[in-house]
Amino acid sequence: MDKIVSLAKRRGFIFQSSEVYGGQGGAWDYGPLGVELKNNLKRAWWRANVLQRPDMVGLDAAILMHPRTWEASGHVGHFTDPMIDCRACKHRFRADHLVTGVAPTAKGDAVRFSADRGTEADVLAGLRAAAKKAGTSVDEGQVRVAALHGPDAHLVGPSTNAPCPTCGEVALTEPRQFNLMFKTFVGPVEEAAAQVYLRPETAQGIFVNFANVVTSMRRKLPFGIAQIGKAFRNEITPGNFTFRSREFEQMEIEFFCKPGTDDEWHQRWMNDRMAWYTNLGIDASRLRLRPHDPDELAHYAKGTSDIEYFFPMGWSELEGIANRTDYDLKQHIEFSGQSLTYFDDETGEHLVPYVIEPSAGADRAALAFLLDAYHEEEVPAGEGKTETRVVLKFHPDVAPVKVAVLPLSRNEKLTPTAQQVYANLLRGLRDCVVQYDDSQSIGRRYRRQDEIGTPYCVTVDFETVESDQAVTIRDRDSMTQERVAIADLVPALRQKLGWDG
Ligand code: GAP
């Protein structure tokens, strides 16, 4: 992950939010290349899930919703994490992430050690080190290690006996439930009646508009509504770069179908969503579909499978695909008193549809695509030597820059033609980023473009201007070069990018 974090900053993909003020935890800014990468992913998702499907429509609902929405959805009551604070160093931890241990020592006293998101082995090592520091050793047969919160917590005693993983003081609070929704106020008075929430998921904006879409678009079941937008969660422990952030973007679908057809649609959506990632170049061996265990299931779900990617910290959720049954629509019917049912022409009855929800994160997808694209290769560097080239092997649809125009050198004979080629490409390949670069040696410029994942470089050389009015197209992955007449350049690139044919 460190290499990706460093490349992302150095090459303008992702910056820490508010860095000049020391950073805002759990928030990230997408730089000039990052915004192109994320936009490309969102566009590819919209194309596959809205534009190319007759059974889908789009929506862009507000972030601020009526607060009753979140009572109905269960977020006010259930969207909580157990949290433990350290009174000494003020650190805050997810209680279910803390692992702690206690062990009697040869001296007759006991040592304790805690780790945040550590393993049993980490805690054992910590206990041994603590005993050694005190000039003794642990009684290995009597070591007890357990999560501080959960069914085994009693093994290690009350959480208040455990030392803080950060400062080591015995100053932890008992676990308290902490709601992850950000609160704010509408209007000038900060009073309870004016309190609203920043939406923690985009899904509810779709549910509350179900009847509006059915009526205005004359939709028949089965059909789905797709939405891309920001969501906010006051995560206690954001981390792993952009993987868990407090402000992030979701790409969500609520697919409404008749009860009884839900299992089939669930399976179809799982297949479609897996194919979306691999069609855009994600290595299939780093992707898997993992069904939730019954005790993991959200209160609204009949079944959920996560699409997981093999991130550097291990297999982790990229997207969840849930069968939410008729839970949400029924909740909104109850809380709003409105009819959100669907009239079935075939049976002449009103019904509440079931819902399949493929819910993806745009930021997690961007991170997975960055990680997956990253390659280091040994390539010839002349005189029998080799050098390491860093290359992002993005699928052309995902790559932030599609083509770079590189005159062989900054030379007055080459510049006018190179600029003309660049202008032609800006017109012929509009809707994507084309770069022009004439600084430093051509070799270094190729490396720079490899490092940001540009699929094609167009080189203008002296032959171009002196004899053949042709340029070379260099392929990022094979590094082979092909000579193409300037007149044929736009169609040749459109074909290589997969735009035509
Ligand atoms: N409407 C269902 C829902 O919101 P979720 O599993 O909580 O389900 C769906 O979120 C997706 O949103 C996740 O698979 C992930 O890609 C993204 N996501 C959730 N929390 C996130 C966070 N704190 N930071 C970045 N992405 C997040």
Side-chain angles (χ1 to χ4, degrees), residues 121-384:
D122 296 332
V123 175
L124 188 57
L127 289 169
R128 286 185 185 137
K132 193 171 173 194
K133 203 171 158 197
T136 181
S137 59
V138 296
D139 179 347
E140 299 274 346
Q142 301 221 43
V143 175
R144 282 172 290 151
V145 179
L148 208 52
H149 186 73
D152 294 334
H154 64 278
L155 295 176
V156 284
S159 52
T160 46
N161 291 345
C164 167
T166 305
C167 71
E169 292 293 316
V170 180
L172 297 181
T173 62
E174 283 291 353
R176 282 176 294 180
Q177 289 301 328
F178 171 72
N179 195 294
L180 299 186
M181 282 194 293
F182 280 103
K183 299 183 185 83
T184 188
F185 299 93
V186 287
V189 187
E190 295 194 3
E191 60 185 10
Q195 185 184 287
V196 294
Y197 302 97
L198 300 189
R199 67 179 176 198
E201 62 173 17
T202 60
Q204 299 304 324
I206 299 180
F207 291 123
V208 299
N209 277 295
F210 170 72
N212 285 337
V213 173
V214 170
T215 313
S216 59
M217 304 302 292
R218 292 183 295 118
R219 281 282 145 178
K220 298 274 174 240
L221 291 181
F223 80 95
I225 305 178
Q227 173 167 226
I228 298 177
K230 288 263 181 172
F232 303 83
R233 298 181 187 178
N234 197 359
E235 300 281 1
I236 297 169
T237 46
N240 286 319
F241 197 23
T242 55
F243 180 84
R244 190 174 306 286
S245 315
R246 294 191 170 114
E247 174 180 341
F248 55 95
E249 254 179 308
Q250 290 188 313
M251 306 188 289
E252 294 204 292
I253 292 165
E254 306 303 332
F255 192 82
F256 302 95
C257 59
K258 288 189 185 174
T261 63
D262 49 310
D263 290 336
E264 187 197 329
W265 279 109
H266 197 186
Q267 188 57 51
R268 283 169 74 163
W269 274 108
M270 290 191 279
N271 299 345
D272 285 1
R273 293 302 305 141
M274 286 288 280
W276 184 80
Y277 291 102
T278 51
N279 288 343
L280 283 177
I282 290 278
D283 178 353
S285 71
R286 302 176 77 83
L287 210 59
R288 72 177 186 190
L289 197 62
R290 186 185 66 80
H292 279 204
D293 291 331
D295 61 351
E296 267 184 285
L297 279 181
H299 59 278
Y300 50 73
K302 172 176 164 188
T304 298
S305 286
D306 285 345
I307 296 181
E308 295 187 331
Y309 181 74
F310 193 63
F311 285 94
M313 62 281 187
W315 288 103
S316 307
E317 177 185 343
L318 193 52
E319 168 165 351
I321 307 172
N323 181 342
R324 292 182 79 124
T325 68
D326 53 7
Y327 175 83
D328 301 88
L329 287 177
K330 279 193 167 158
Q331 287 292 105
H332 290 301
I333 290 169
E334 184 188 330
F335 278 70
S336 69
Q338 302 288 316
S339 165
L340 301 179
T341 56
Y342 170 86
F343 181 71
D344 187 351
D345 293 335
E346 286 168 20
T347 61
E349 288 174 358
H350 287 271
L351 63 91
V352 181
Y354 266 41
V355 176
I356 307 302
E357 179 195 64
S359 172
D363 307 85
R364 277 197 198 168
L367 181 58
F369 275 90
L370 259 176
L371 287 161
D372 209 74
Y374 186 89
H375 288 79
E376 288 179 9
E377 292 175 350
E378 286 304 306
V379 290
E383 297 169 4

Side-chain angles (χ1 to χ4, degrees), residues 35-110:
V35 68
E36 296 299 334
L37 170 66
K38 197 150 77 131
N39 280 346
N40 288 343
L41 288 173
K42 291 191 283 184
R43 214 174 284 135
W45 184 91
W46 195 264
R47 192 186 308 126
N49 293 303
V50 180
L51 305 182
Q52 297 193 334
R53 288 189 67 128
D55 55 359
M56 292 285 301
V57 291
L59 182 79
D60 184 12
I63 287 173
L64 297 179
M65 299 180 69
H66 194 287
R68 290 276 284 166
T69 309
W70 306 111
E71 289 173 35
S73 68
H75 284 83
V76 170
H78 301 294
F79 197 51
T80 55
D81 275 341
M83 169 207 78
I84 283 181
D85 286 309
C86 174
R87 290 194 196 89
C89 69
K90 309 294 178 211
H91 241 87
R92 176 165 282 188
F93 306 95
R94 281 265 302 262
D96 51 340
H97 285 171
L98 291 186
V99 186
T100 194
V102 56
T105 70
K107 268 189 187 170
D109 56 0

Side-chain angles (χ1 to χ4, degrees), residues 377 379 389 391-394 396 402-404 406 446-447 449-450 453-459 471-484 492-493 495-498:
E377 292 175 350
V379 290
R389 105 171 160 137
V391 52
L392 292 182
K393 294 191 172 178
F394 286 128
K402 305 283 189 242
V403 180
L406 312 176
Y446 283 146
R447 290 288 169 274
Q449 295 298 333
D450 289 344
T454 307
Y456 301 106
C457 289
V458 170
T459 310
V471 291
T472 55
I473 301 178
R474 173 189 180 266
D475 180 284
R476 175 197 66 202
D477 298 343
S478 66
M479 294 187 286
T480 53
Q481 308 207 0
E482 181 189 335
R483 204 136 184 103
V484 175
L493 285 169
Q495 195 178 24
K496 283 179 185 293
L497 289 167

